[in-house]
Coordinates of all heavy atoms in Angstrom, one line a residue:
M1 N 13.8 6.8 -25.4 CA 13.0 6.3 -24.4 C 12.0 7.3 -24.1 O 12.2 8.5 -23.9 CB 13.9 6.1 -23.2 CG 13.6 5.0 -22.3 SD 14.7 4.7 -21.0 CE 16.3 4.3 -21.8
T2 N 10.8 6.8 -24.0 CA 9.6 7.6 -23.6 C 9.2 7.5 -22.2 O 9.1 6.5 -21.7 CB 8.4 7.2 -24.6 OG1 8.7 7.3 -25.9 CG2 7.2 8.1 -24.2
Y3 N 9.2 8.7 -21.5 CA 8.8 8.7 -20.1 C 7.4 9.4 -19.9 O 7.0 10.2 -20.7 CB 9.8 9.7 -19.4 CG 11.1 9.1 -19.1 CD1 12.1 9.1 -20.1 CD2 11.4 8.4 -17.9 CE1 13.3 8.4 -19.8 CE2 12.6 7.8 -17.6 CZ 13.6 7.9 -18.6 OH 14.9 7.3 -18.4
V4 N 6.7 8.8 -19.0 CA 5.4 9.3 -18.7 C 5.3 9.7 -17.2 O 6.0 9.0 -16.4 CB 4.3 8.2 -19.0 CG1 4.1 8.0 -20.4 CG2 4.5 6.9 -18.2
K5 N 4.5 10.6 -16.8 CA 4.4 11.0 -15.4 C 3.7 9.9 -14.6 O 2.6 9.4 -14.9 CB 3.6 12.3 -15.3 CG 3.5 12.8 -13.8 CD 2.8 14.1 -13.7 CE 2.7 14.4 -12.2 NZ 2.1 15.7 -11.9
A6 N 4.4 9.4 -13.6 CA 3.8 8.4 -12.6 C 3.1 9.1 -11.5 O 2.0 8.6 -11.0 CB 4.8 7.5 -12.2
C7 N 3.7 10.1 -10.9 CA 3.1 10.8 -9.8 C 3.9 12.0 -9.5 O 4.9 12.3 -10.2 CB 3.0 9.9 -8.5 SG 4.7 9.3 -8.0
A8 N 3.5 12.7 -8.5 CA 4.3 13.9 -8.0 C 5.3 13.3 -6.9 O 4.9 12.5 -6.1 CB 3.3 15.0 -7.4
L9 N 6.5 13.9 -6.9 CA 7.4 13.6 -6.0 C 7.0 13.9 -4.6 O 7.2 13.1 -3.6 CB 8.8 14.4 -6.2 CG 10.0 14.0 -5.4 CD1 10.4 12.5 -5.5 CD2 11.2 14.9 -5.8
S10 N 6.3 14.9 -4.4 CA 5.7 15.3 -3.1 C 4.7 14.4 -2.6 O 4.4 14.4 -1.4 CB 5.1 16.8 -3.2 OG 4.1 16.8 -4.1
E11 N 4.1 13.6 -3.4 CA 3.2 12.5 -3.0 C 3.8 11.3 -2.3 O 3.2 10.5 -1.7 CB 2.3 12.0 -4.2 CG 1.4 12.9 -4.9 CD 0.8 12.3 -6.0 OE1 0.6 11.0 -6.2 OE2 0.4 13.1 -6.9
L12 N 5.1 11.1 -2.5 CA 5.8 10.0 -2.0 C 6.2 10.1 -0.6 O 6.7 11.2 -0.2 CB 7.0 9.6 -2.9 CG 6.8 9.3 -4.3 CD1 8.0 9.1 -5.0 CD2 5.8 8.1 -4.4
E13 N 6.0 9.1 0.2 CA 6.5 9.0 1.6 C 7.8 8.0 1.6 O 7.7 7.0 0.9 CB 5.5 8.5 2.6 CG 4.4 9.5 2.7 CD 3.3 8.9 3.7 OE1 3.7 8.3 4.7 OE2 2.1 9.1 3.4
E14 N 8.8 8.3 2.3 CA 10.0 7.5 2.4 C 9.6 6.1 2.8 O 8.9 5.9 3.8 CB 11.0 8.2 3.4 CG 12.3 7.4 3.5 CD 13.3 7.7 2.4 OE1 13.0 8.5 1.6 OE2 14.4 7.1 2.4
N15 N 10.2 5.1 2.0 CA 9.9 3.7 2.3 C 8.4 3.3 2.3 O 8.1 2.2 2.8 CB 10.6 3.3 3.7 CG 12.0 3.5 3.6 OD1 12.7 3.3 2.6 ND2 12.6 3.9 4.7
T16 N 7.6 4.0 1.6 CA 6.2 3.6 1.4 C 5.9 3.5 0.0 O 5.8 4.6 -0.7 CB 5.3 4.7 2.1 OG1 5.6 4.8 3.5 CG2 3.8 4.3 2.1
P17 N 5.7 2.3 -0.5 CA 5.4 2.1 -1.9 C 4.1 2.8 -2.4 O 3.1 2.8 -1.6 CB 5.3 0.7 -2.1 CG 5.9 0.0 -0.9 CD 5.8 1.0 0.2
K18 N 4.1 3.4 -3.6 CA 2.9 4.0 -4.1 C 2.5 3.2 -5.4 O 3.4 3.2 -6.4 CB 3.1 5.4 -4.4 CG 1.8 6.1 -5.1 CD 2.1 7.6 -5.3 CE 0.8 8.3 -5.9 NZ -0.4 8.2 -5.0
R19 N 1.4 2.7 -5.6 CA 1.0 1.8 -6.7 C 0.4 2.8 -7.7 O -0.5 3.7 -7.3 CB -0.1 0.8 -6.4 CG -0.4 -0.1 -7.5 CD -1.4 -1.1 -7.1 NE -1.4 -2.3 -7.9 CZ -2.1 -2.4 -9.0 NH1 -2.8 -1.5 -9.6 NH2 -2.1 -3.6 -9.7
V20 N 0.8 2.8 -9.0 CA 0.3 3.4 -10.1 C 0.1 2.6 -11.3 O 0.6 1.5 -11.3 CB 1.2 4.7 -10.5 CG1 1.3 5.7 -9.4 CG2 2.5 4.2 -11.0
E21 N -0.7 2.9 -12.2 CA -0.9 2.1 -13.4 C -0.5 3.0 -14.6 O -1.0 4.1 -14.8 CB -2.3 1.6 -13.5 CG -2.4 0.6 -14.6 CD -3.6 -0.4 -14.4 OE1 -3.8 -0.9 -13.3 OE2 -4.3 -0.6 -15.4
L22 N 0.5 2.5 -15.4 CA 1.0 3.3 -16.5 C 0.8 2.4 -17.8 O 1.3 1.3 -17.9 CB 2.5 3.6 -16.4 CG 2.9 4.3 -15.1 CD1 4.4 4.4 -15.0 CD2 2.2 5.7 -15.0
D23 N -0.1 2.9 -18.7 CA -0.5 2.2 -19.9 C -0.8 0.8 -19.6 O -0.4 -0.2 -20.3 CB 0.7 2.2 -20.9 CG 1.1 3.6 -21.3 OD1 0.1 4.4 -21.4 OD2 2.2 3.9 -21.7
G24 N -1.6 0.5 -18.5 CA -2.0 -0.8 -18.2 C -1.1 -1.6 -17.5 O -1.4 -2.7 -17.1
T25 N 0.1 -1.1 -17.1 CA 1.1 -1.8 -16.4 C 1.0 -1.4 -15.0 O 1.3 -0.2 -14.7 CB 2.5 -1.6 -17.0 OG1 2.5 -2.1 -18.4 CG2 3.6 -2.3 -16.2
P26 N 0.9 -2.3 -14.0 CA 1.0 -1.8 -12.6 C 2.4 -1.6 -12.1 O 3.3 -2.5 -12.4 CB 0.4 -3.1 -11.8 CG 0.5 -4.2 -12.7 CD 0.5 -3.7 -14.1
V27 N 2.7 -0.5 -11.6 CA 4.0 -0.2 -11.2 C 4.1 0.4 -9.7 O 3.1 1.1 -9.3 CB 4.6 0.9 -12.1 CG1 6.0 1.4 -11.7 CG2 4.6 0.5 -13.5
S28 N 5.0 0.0 -9.0 CA 5.3 0.4 -7.6 C 6.3 1.5 -7.6 O 7.5 1.2 -8.1 CB 5.6 -0.7 -6.6 OG 5.7 -0.2 -5.3
I29 N 6.1 2.7 -7.2 CA 7.0 3.8 -7.1 C 7.5 3.8 -5.6 O 6.6 4.0 -4.7 CB 6.4 5.2 -7.5 CG1 5.7 5.0 -8.9 CG2 7.4 6.2 -7.5 CD1 6.6 4.7 -10.0
V30 N 8.8 3.8 -5.4 CA 9.2 3.9 -4.0 C 10.5 5.0 -3.9 O 11.3 5.0 -4.7 CB 9.9 2.5 -3.7 CG1 10.5 2.5 -2.2 CG2 8.8 1.4 -3.8
S31 N 10.3 5.8 -2.9 CA 11.3 6.7 -2.5 C 12.0 6.1 -1.3 O 11.4 5.9 -0.3 CB 10.8 8.0 -2.1 OG 11.8 8.9 -1.7
T32 N 13.3 5.9 -1.5 CA 14.2 5.3 -0.3 C 15.6 5.6 -0.5 O 16.0 5.7 -1.6 CB 13.9 3.8 -0.3 OG1 14.6 3.3 0.9 CG2 14.5 3.0 -1.5
E33 N 16.3 5.8 0.5 CA 17.7 6.1 0.5 C 18.1 7.2 -0.4 O 19.1 7.1 -1.1 CB 18.4 4.7 0.3 CG 18.2 3.7 1.2 CD 19.0 2.4 1.1 OE1 19.8 2.4 0.1 OE2 18.7 1.4 1.6
G34 N 17.3 8.2 -0.5 CA 17.6 9.4 -1.4 C 17.3 9.2 -2.8 O 17.7 10.0 -3.6
E35 N 16.8 8.1 -3.2 CA 16.4 7.8 -4.7 C 15.0 7.4 -4.9 O 14.4 7.0 -3.9 CB 17.3 6.7 -5.2 CG 18.8 7.0 -5.2 CD 19.6 5.9 -5.9 OE1 19.4 5.6 -7.1 OE2 20.5 5.2 -5.2
V36 N 14.6 7.5 -6.1 CA 13.3 7.0 -6.4 C 13.3 5.8 -7.4 O 14.1 6.0 -8.4 CB 12.4 8.1 -7.0 CG1 11.0 7.7 -7.4 CG2 12.2 9.3 -6.0
F37 N 12.6 4.8 -7.2 CA 12.7 3.6 -8.0 C 11.2 3.2 -8.5 O 10.2 3.6 -7.9 CB 13.2 2.4 -7.2 CG 14.6 2.6 -6.6 CD1 14.7 3.1 -5.4 CD2 15.6 2.3 -7.3 CE1 16.0 3.3 -4.9 CE2 17.0 2.5 -6.9 CZ 17.1 3.0 -5.7
A38 N 11.2 2.6 -9.6 CA 10.0 2.0 -10.2 C 10.1 0.6 -10.5 O 11.2 0.1 -11.2 CB 9.7 2.8 -11.5
I39 N 9.3 -0.3 -9.9 CA 9.3 -1.7 -10.2 C 8.0 -2.3 -10.4 O 7.0 -1.7 -10.0 CB 10.0 -2.4 -8.8 CG1 10.3 -3.8 -9.1 CG2 9.1 -2.1 -7.6 CD1 11.2 -4.4 -7.9
N40 N 8.0 -3.3 -11.3 CA 6.7 -3.8 -11.7 C 6.0 -4.2 -10.3 O 6.6 -4.8 -9.4 CB 6.8 -5.1 -12.6 CG 5.6 -5.5 -13.1 OD1 4.7 -6.2 -12.4 ND2 5.3 -5.2 -14.3
D41 N 4.7 -4.0 -10.2 CA 4.0 -4.1 -8.9 C 3.5 -5.6 -8.6 O 3.0 -5.8 -7.6 CB 2.9 -3.1 -8.8 CG 2.2 -3.1 -7.4 OD1 3.0 -2.9 -6.5 OD2 1.0 -3.2 -7.2
I42 N 3.8 -6.5 -9.5 CA 3.3 -7.9 -9.4 C 4.4 -8.8 -9.0 O 5.4 -8.9 -9.8 CB 2.5 -8.3 -10.6 CG1 1.4 -7.4 -11.0 CG2 2.0 -9.8 -10.4 CD1 0.4 -7.1 -9.9
C43 N 4.4 -9.5 -7.8 CA 5.3 -10.5 -7.4 C 5.4 -11.5 -8.4 O 4.4 -12.1 -9.1 CB 4.9 -11.0 -6.1 SG 5.9 -12.4 -5.5
S44 N 6.6 -12.0 -8.7 CA 6.9 -13.0 -9.8 C 6.6 -14.4 -9.3 O 6.4 -15.4 -10.0 CB 8.3 -13.0 -10.2 OG 9.2 -13.3 -9.2
H45 N 6.3 -14.6 -8.0 CA 6.0 -15.9 -7.4 C 4.4 -16.1 -7.3 O 3.9 -17.2 -7.6 CB 6.7 -15.9 -6.0 CG 6.1 -17.2 -5.3 ND1 5.2 -17.1 -4.2 CD2 6.4 -18.5 -5.4 CE1 5.0 -18.3 -3.7 NE2 5.6 -19.2 -4.4
A46 N 3.8 -15.0 -6.8 CA 2.3 -15.0 -6.7 C 1.8 -13.8 -7.1 O 2.4 -12.7 -7.1 CB 2.0 -15.2 -5.1
N47 N 0.7 -13.8 -7.8 CA 0.0 -12.7 -8.4 C -0.5 -11.7 -7.4 O -1.8 -11.5 -7.3 CB -1.0 -13.2 -9.4 CG -1.4 -12.0 -10.4 OD1 -0.8 -11.0 -10.6 ND2 -2.7 -12.2 -10.9
V48 N 0.3 -11.1 -6.6 CA -0.1 -10.1 -5.7 C 0.7 -8.9 -5.8 O 1.8 -8.8 -6.4 CB 0.0 -10.6 -4.2 CG1 -0.8 -11.9 -4.0 CG2 1.5 -11.0 -3.8
S49 N 0.1 -7.7 -5.3 CA 0.8 -6.4 -5.3 C 1.9 -6.2 -4.4 O 1.8 -6.4 -3.1 CB -0.4 -5.3 -5.0 OG 0.2 -4.1 -5.0
L50 N 3.1 -5.9 -4.9 CA 4.3 -5.6 -4.1 C 4.1 -4.3 -3.3 O 4.7 -4.2 -2.2 CB 5.5 -5.6 -5.0 CG 5.9 -6.9 -5.6 CD1 7.2 -6.7 -6.5 CD2 6.3 -8.0 -4.5
S51 N 3.4 -3.4 -3.8 CA 3.2 -2.1 -3.2 C 2.5 -2.2 -1.8 O 2.5 -1.3 -1.0 CB 2.4 -1.1 -4.0 OG 1.2 -1.5 -4.3
E52 N 1.9 -3.4 -1.5 CA 1.3 -3.6 -0.2 C 2.3 -4.1 0.8 O 2.0 -4.3 2.0 CB 0.2 -4.6 -0.3 CG -1.0 -4.1 -1.2 CD -2.1 -5.0 -1.4 OE1 -2.3 -5.9 -0.5 OE2 -2.8 -4.9 -2.4
G53 N 3.6 -4.4 0.4 CA 4.7 -4.9 1.3 C 5.5 -3.7 1.8 O 5.2 -2.6 1.5
E54 N 6.5 -4.2 2.6 CA 7.3 -3.2 3.2 C 8.7 -3.0 2.5 O 9.1 -3.9 1.7 CB 7.7 -3.7 4.7 CG 6.4 -3.7 5.6 CD 6.8 -4.2 6.9 OE1 7.9 -4.3 7.3 OE2 5.8 -4.4 7.7
V55 N 9.2 -1.8 2.7 CA 10.5 -1.5 2.1 C 11.6 -1.3 3.1 O 11.3 -0.6 4.1 CB 10.4 -0.2 1.2 CG1 11.8 0.3 0.7 CG2 9.4 -0.3 0.1
E56 N 12.7 -1.9 2.9 CA 13.8 -1.9 3.8 C 15.1 -2.2 3.1 O 15.1 -3.1 2.3 CB 13.6 -2.8 5.0 CG 14.6 -2.6 6.1 CD 14.5 -3.5 7.3 OE1 13.2 -3.9 7.5 OE2 15.4 -3.7 8.1
D57 N 16.2 -1.4 3.2 CA 17.5 -1.7 2.7 C 17.4 -1.9 1.2 O 18.0 -2.7 0.5 CB 18.1 -2.9 3.3 CG 18.5 -2.8 4.7 OD1 18.7 -1.7 5.2 OD2 18.4 -3.8 5.5
C58 N 16.7 -1.0 0.4 CA 16.5 -0.9 -1.0 C 15.9 -2.2 -1.5 O 16.0 -2.6 -2.6 CB 17.8 -0.7 -1.5 SG 17.6 0.4 -3.1
M59 N 15.0 -2.9 -0.7 CA 14.3 -4.1 -1.1 C 12.9 -3.8 -0.8 O 12.5 -3.1 0.2 CB 14.8 -5.2 -0.2 CG 16.3 -5.5 -0.3 SD 16.8 -6.3 -1.9 CE 16.3 -8.0 -1.7
I60 N 12.0 -4.5 -1.6 CA 10.5 -4.4 -1.3 C 10.1 -5.8 -1.2 O 10.5 -6.7 -1.9 CB 9.7 -3.8 -2.5 CG1 8.3 -3.6 -2.1 CG2 9.9 -4.5 -3.8 CD1 7.5 -2.7 -3.1
E61 N 9.4 -6.0 0.0 CA 9.0 -7.4 0.3 C 7.5 -7.8 0.0 O 6.7 -6.9 0.2 CB 9.2 -7.6 1.8 CG 8.9 -9.0 2.4 CD 9.1 -9.1 3.9 OE1 8.3 -8.5 4.6 OE2 9.9 -9.9 4.3
C62 N 7.4 -9.0 -0.6 CA 6.0 -9.3 -0.9 C 5.3 -9.7 0.4 O 5.8 -10.5 1.1 CB 6.1 -10.5 -1.9 SG 4.5 -11.2 -2.2
W63 N 4.2 -9.2 0.7 CA 3.5 -9.4 2.0 C 3.0 -10.8 2.1 O 2.7 -11.3 3.2 CB 2.4 -8.3 2.1 CG 1.3 -8.4 1.1 CD1 1.3 -7.8 -0.1 CD2 0.2 -9.4 1.1 NE1 0.2 -8.2 -0.8 CE2 -0.5 -9.1 -0.1 CE3 -0.3 -10.3 2.0 CZ2 -1.7 -9.9 -0.5 CZ3 -1.4 -10.9 1.7 CH2 -2.2 -10.7 0.4
L64 N 2.8 -11.4 0.9 CA 2.1 -12.8 1.0 C 3.1 -13.9 1.5 O 2.7 -14.7 2.4 CB 1.4 -13.2 -0.3 CG 0.6 -14.4 -0.3 CD1 -0.5 -14.3 0.7 CD2 0.0 -14.6 -1.7
H65 N 4.2 -14.0 0.9 CA 5.2 -15.1 1.2 C 6.5 -14.7 1.7 O 7.4 -15.5 2.0 CB 5.3 -16.1 0.0 CG 4.1 -16.7 -0.4 ND1 3.4 -16.5 -1.5 CD2 3.3 -17.7 0.3 CE1 2.3 -17.3 -1.6 NE2 2.2 -18.0 -0.6
G66 N 6.8 -13.4 1.7 CA 8.1 -12.8 2.3 C 9.2 -12.7 1.3 O 10.2 -12.3 1.7
S67 N 9.0 -13.0 0.0 CA 10.1 -12.8 -0.9 C 10.5 -11.3 -1.0 O 9.5 -10.6 -1.1 CB 9.8 -13.4 -2.3 OG 9.9 -14.8 -2.3
A68 N 11.7 -11.0 -1.0 CA 12.1 -9.5 -1.1 C 12.8 -9.4 -2.6 O 13.6 -10.2 -3.0 CB 12.9 -9.0 -0.1
F69 N 12.5 -8.2 -3.1 CA 13.0 -7.9 -4.5 C 13.9 -6.6 -4.4 O 13.4 -5.6 -3.8 CB 11.9 -7.7 -5.5 CG 11.2 -8.9 -5.7 CD1 10.0 -9.2 -4.9 CD2 11.5 -9.9 -6.7 CE1 9.3 -10.3 -5.1 CE2 10.6 -11.0 -6.9 CZ 9.6 -11.2 -6.1
D70 N 15.1 -6.6 -5.0 CA 15.9 -5.5 -5.0 C 15.3 -4.4 -5.9 O 15.0 -4.6 -7.1 CB 17.3 -5.9 -5.6 CG 18.4 -4.8 -5.4 OD1 18.1 -3.6 -5.8 OD2 19.4 -5.1 -4.9
L71 N 15.1 -3.2 -5.3 CA 14.5 -2.1 -6.2 C 15.4 -1.7 -7.3 O 14.8 -1.1 -8.3 CB 14.2 -0.9 -5.3 CG 13.1 -1.2 -4.2 CD1 13.1 0.0 -3.1 CD2 11.8 -1.3 -4.9
R72 N 16.7 -1.9 -7.3 CA 17.6 -1.5 -8.3 C 17.6 -2.5 -9.5 O 17.8 -2.1 -10.6 CB 19.0 -1.4 -7.8 CG 19.1 -0.3 -6.7 CD 20.4 -0.4 -6.0 NE 20.3 -1.6 -5.2 CZ 20.7 -1.7 -3.9 NH1 21.3 -0.8 -3.3 NH2 20.5 -2.9 -3.2
T73 N 17.5 -3.8 -9.2 CA 17.6 -5.0 -10.1 C 16.4 -5.8 -10.4 O 16.3 -6.4 -11.4 CB 18.8 -5.8 -9.8 OG1 18.4 -6.5 -8.6 CG2 20.0 -5.1 -9.6
G74 N 15.5 -5.7 -9.4 CA 14.3 -6.5 -9.6 C 14.6 -8.0 -9.1 O 13.6 -8.8 -9.1
K75 N 15.8 -8.4 -8.7 CA 16.1 -9.7 -8.4 C 15.6 -10.1 -7.0 O 15.8 -9.2 -6.1 CB 17.7 -10.0 -8.5 CG 18.1 -9.9 -9.9 CD 19.6 -10.1 -10.0 CE 20.1 -10.0 -11.4 NZ 21.6 -10.0 -11.5
P76 N 15.1 -11.3 -6.9 CA 14.7 -11.7 -5.5 C 15.8 -12.1 -4.6 O 16.8 -12.6 -5.2 CB 13.8 -12.9 -5.8 CG 14.3 -13.5 -7.0 CD 14.8 -12.3 -7.8
S77 N 15.7 -11.8 -3.3 CA 16.8 -12.2 -2.4 C 16.7 -13.7 -1.9 O 17.6 -14.2 -1.4 CB 16.8 -11.2 -1.2 OG 15.6 -11.4 -0.5
G78 N 15.6 -14.2 -2.1 CA 15.4 -15.6 -1.7 C 14.1 -16.2 -2.0 O 13.2 -15.5 -2.6
L79 N 13.9 -17.5 -1.6 CA 12.6 -18.2 -1.9 C 11.5 -17.5 -1.1 O 11.7 -17.0 -0.1 CB 12.9 -19.6 -1.6 CG 14.0 -20.3 -2.3 CD1 14.1 -21.7 -1.7 CD2 13.7 -20.4 -3.8
P80 N 10.3 -17.7 -1.7 CA 9.9 -18.7 -2.8 C 10.1 -18.1 -4.1 O 10.0 -18.9 -5.1 CB 8.5 -19.1 -2.4 CG 7.9 -17.8 -1.7 CD 9.1 -17.2 -0.9
A81 N 10.3 -16.8 -4.3 CA 10.4 -16.3 -5.6 C 11.8 -16.6 -6.1 O 12.8 -16.6 -5.4 CB 10.3 -14.8 -5.5
T82 N 11.8 -17.0 -7.4 CA 13.0 -17.3 -8.1 C 13.3 -16.4 -9.3 O 14.4 -16.4 -9.8 CB 13.1 -18.8 -8.5 OG1 12.0 -19.1 -9.5 CG2 13.1 -19.7 -7.3
R83 N 12.3 -15.8 -9.8 CA 12.4 -14.9 -11.0 C 12.3 -13.4 -10.6 O 11.6 -13.1 -9.8 CB 11.2 -15.2 -12.0 CG 11.4 -16.6 -12.6 CD 10.1 -16.9 -13.5 NE 9.0 -17.1 -12.6 CZ 7.8 -16.4 -12.8 NH1 7.7 -15.6 -13.8 NH2 6.8 -16.6 -12.0
P84 N 13.2 -12.6 -11.3 CA 13.1 -11.2 -11.0 C 11.8 -10.6 -11.6 O 11.1 -11.1 -12.4 CB 14.4 -10.6 -11.7 CG 14.7 -11.6 -12.7 CD 14.2 -13.0 -12.3
V85 N 11.6 -9.4 -11.1 CA 10.5 -8.7 -11.7 C 11.1 -7.4 -12.3 O 12.1 -7.0 -12.0 CB 9.4 -8.1 -10.5 CG1 8.7 -9.2 -10.0 CG2 10.1 -7.3 -9.4
P86 N 10.4 -6.9 -13.4 CA 11.0 -5.8 -14.2 C 11.1 -4.5 -13.3 O 10.3 -4.2 -12.4 CB 10.0 -5.5 -15.3 CG 9.2 -6.8 -15.3 CD 9.2 -7.4 -14.0
V87 N 12.2 -3.7 -13.5 CA 12.5 -2.5 -13.0 C 12.5 -1.5 -14.2 O 12.8 -1.9 -15.3 CB 13.8 -2.4 -12.1 CG1 13.6 -3.2 -10.9 CG2 14.9 -2.7 -12.9
Y88 N 12.1 -0.2 -13.8 CA 12.0 0.8 -15.0 C 12.8 2.0 -14.7 O 12.9 2.4 -13.5 CB 10.5 1.2 -15.2 CG 9.6 -0.1 -15.3 CD1 8.8 -0.5 -14.3 CD2 9.6 -0.8 -16.6 CE1 7.9 -1.6 -14.5 CE2 8.8 -2.0 -16.7 CZ 8.0 -2.2 -15.6 OH 7.2 -3.4 -15.8
P89 N 13.3 2.6 -15.7 CA 14.1 3.9 -15.5 C 13.2 5.0 -15.0 O 12.0 5.1 -15.3 CB 14.6 4.3 -17.0 CG 14.5 3.0 -17.7 CD 13.4 2.2 -17.1
V90 N 13.7 5.8 -14.0 CA 13.0 6.9 -13.4 C 13.9 8.2 -13.6 O 15.1 8.1 -13.5 CB 12.8 6.6 -11.9 CG1 12.3 7.9 -11.2 CG2 12.0 5.4 -11.7
K91 N 13.2 9.3 -13.8 CA 13.8 10.6 -13.8 C 12.9 11.5 -13.1 O 11.7 11.4 -13.2 CB 14.3 11.1 -15.2 CG 13.3 11.4 -16.2 CD 14.0 11.8 -17.5 CE 13.0 12.1 -18.5 NZ 13.7 12.5 -19.8
I92 N 13.4 12.6 -12.4 CA 12.7 13.5 -11.8 C 12.9 14.9 -12.5 O 13.9 15.3 -12.8 CB 13.3 13.7 -10.3 CG1 13.3 12.3 -9.6 CG2 12.4 14.7 -9.6 CD1 12.0 11.6 -9.5
E93 N 11.7 15.5 -12.7 CA 11.7 16.8 -13.4 C 10.8 17.7 -12.5 O 9.6 17.5 -12.5 CB 11.2 16.8 -14.8 CG 12.2 16.1 -15.8 CD 11.8 16.2 -17.2 OE1 10.6 16.7 -17.5 OE2 12.5 15.6 -18.1
G94 N 11.5 18.6 -11.8 CA 10.7 19.4 -10.8 C 10.1 18.5 -9.8 O 10.7 17.8 -9.1
D95 N 8.7 18.5 -9.7 CA 8.0 17.6 -8.8 C 7.4 16.4 -9.4 O 6.7 15.7 -8.8 CB 6.9 18.5 -8.0 CG 6.2 17.7 -6.9 OD1 7.0 17.1 -6.1 OD2 5.0 17.7 -6.7
D96 N 7.8 16.2 -10.7 CA 7.2 15.1 -11.4 C 8.2 13.9 -11.5 O 9.3 14.0 -11.6 CB 7.0 15.4 -12.9 CG 5.9 16.5 -13.1 OD1 5.0 16.6 -12.2 OD2 5.8 17.1 -14.2
V97 N 7.6 12.7 -11.1 CA 8.3 11.5 -11.1 C 7.9 10.8 -12.5 O 6.8 10.6 -12.8 CB 7.9 10.5 -10.0 CG1 8.6 9.2 -10.2 CG2 8.3 11.1 -8.7
L98 N 8.9 10.8 -13.4 CA 8.7 10.2 -14.8 C 9.3 8.9 -14.8 O 10.4 8.6 -14.3 CB 9.3 11.1 -15.8 CG 8.9 12.6 -15.7 CD1 9.7 13.4 -16.7 CD2 7.4 12.7 -16.1
V99 N 8.6 7.9 -15.5 CA 9.0 6.5 -15.6 C 8.8 6.1 -17.1 O 7.9 6.4 -17.7 CB 8.0 5.6 -14.8 CG1 8.3 4.1 -15.0 CG2 8.1 5.9 -13.2
S100 N 9.9 5.4 -17.5 CA 9.9 4.8 -18.8 C 9.5 3.3 -18.7 O 10.2 2.6 -17.9 CB 11.1 4.9 -19.6 OG 11.2 4.2 -20.8
L101 N 8.6 2.7 -19.4 CA 8.1 1.4 -19.3 C 9.2 0.4 -20.0 O 9.1 -0.8 -20.0 CB 6.8 1.1 -19.7 CG 5.8 1.6 -18.8 CD1 4.4 1.3 -19.4 CD2 5.9 1.2 -17.3
T102 N 10.3 1.0 -20.6 CA 11.4 0.2 -21.1 C 12.1 -0.4 -19.9 O 12.6 0.4 -19.0 CB 12.3 1.1 -21.9 OG1 11.5 1.8 -22.9 CG2 13.4 0.3 -22.5
Q103 N 12.2 -1.6 -20.0 CA 12.8 -2.3 -18.8 C 14.3 -2.2 -18.8 O 15.0 -2.2 -19.8 CB 12.5 -3.8 -18.8 CG 11.0 -4.2 -18.6 CD 10.8 -5.7 -18.8 OE1 11.7 -6.5 -18.4 NE2 9.6 -6.1 -19.0
E104 N 14.9 -1.9 -17.5 CA 16.3 -1.9 -17.3 C 16.8 -3.4 -17.1 O 18.0 -3.7 -17.4 CB 16.7 -0.9 -16.1 CG 16.5 0.4 -16.4 CD 17.1 1.3 -15.2 OE1 17.2 0.9 -14.1 OE2 17.4 2.5 -15.6
S105 N 15.9 -4.2 -16.5 CA 16.4 -5.6 -16.2 C 15.2 -6.4 -16.3 O 14.1 -6.0 -16.4 CB 17.1 -5.7 -14.9 OG 16.2 -5.4 -13.9

């Protein structure tokens, strides 16, 4: 698995998504509940950025229609979204947040 640097851990604020682009793929990086997650930044229901939404209880909410996606699995918690969004493996090395674009789900 190939990992690329997404951002510095020190750049992340708790429960505040950070949008990055890795090899042309928009990714939202989220630090919450003591972990760091990487999820595709595009809502599966509407073509909008998830990183503009709010994070609560390990879920990221789409600001446009209110669908929330589990940061661990990418699965939506309810309508209008019905399809999951990809999540990506994350590892921390020092202050670097590294992400592999190989999908976990």
Side-chain angles (χ1 to χ4, degrees):
M1 211 176 297
T2 302
Y3 285 83
V4 295
K5 182 177 177 180
C7 64
L9 185 60
S10 58
E11 293 175 24
L12 299 177
E13 294 180 39
E14 183 78 4
N15 296 322
T16 302
K18 178 176 181 63
R19 186 181 202 276
V20 298
E21 195 157 308
L22 304 174
D23 295 329
T25 300
V27 177
S28 183
I29 309 295
V30 180
S31 174
T32 187
E33 299 181 10
E35 293 186 66
V36 177
F37 299 93
I39 188 167
N40 191 284
D41 192 48
I42 304 301
C43 177
S44 63
H45 169 256
N47 191 25
V48 297
S49 175
L50 291 176
S51 63
E52 295 177 28
E54 295 182 9
V55 173
E56 187 175 340
D57 296 328
C58 217
M59 304 286 285
I60 188 168
E61 183 179 63
C62 176
W63 62 270
L64 187 59
H65 295 113
S67 287
F69 298 87
D70 190 308
L71 290 168
R72 298 164 291 221
T73 66
K75 293 179 181 173
S77 65
L79 298 174
T82 58
R83 292 176 292 127
V85 294
V87 296
Y88 307 105
V90 173
K91 66 181 179 180
I92 309 298
E93 290 184 358
D95 191 45
D96 293 340
V97 176
L98 306 173
V99 174
S100 175
L101 292 180
T102 302
Q103 295 179 23
E104 286 187 337
S105 65

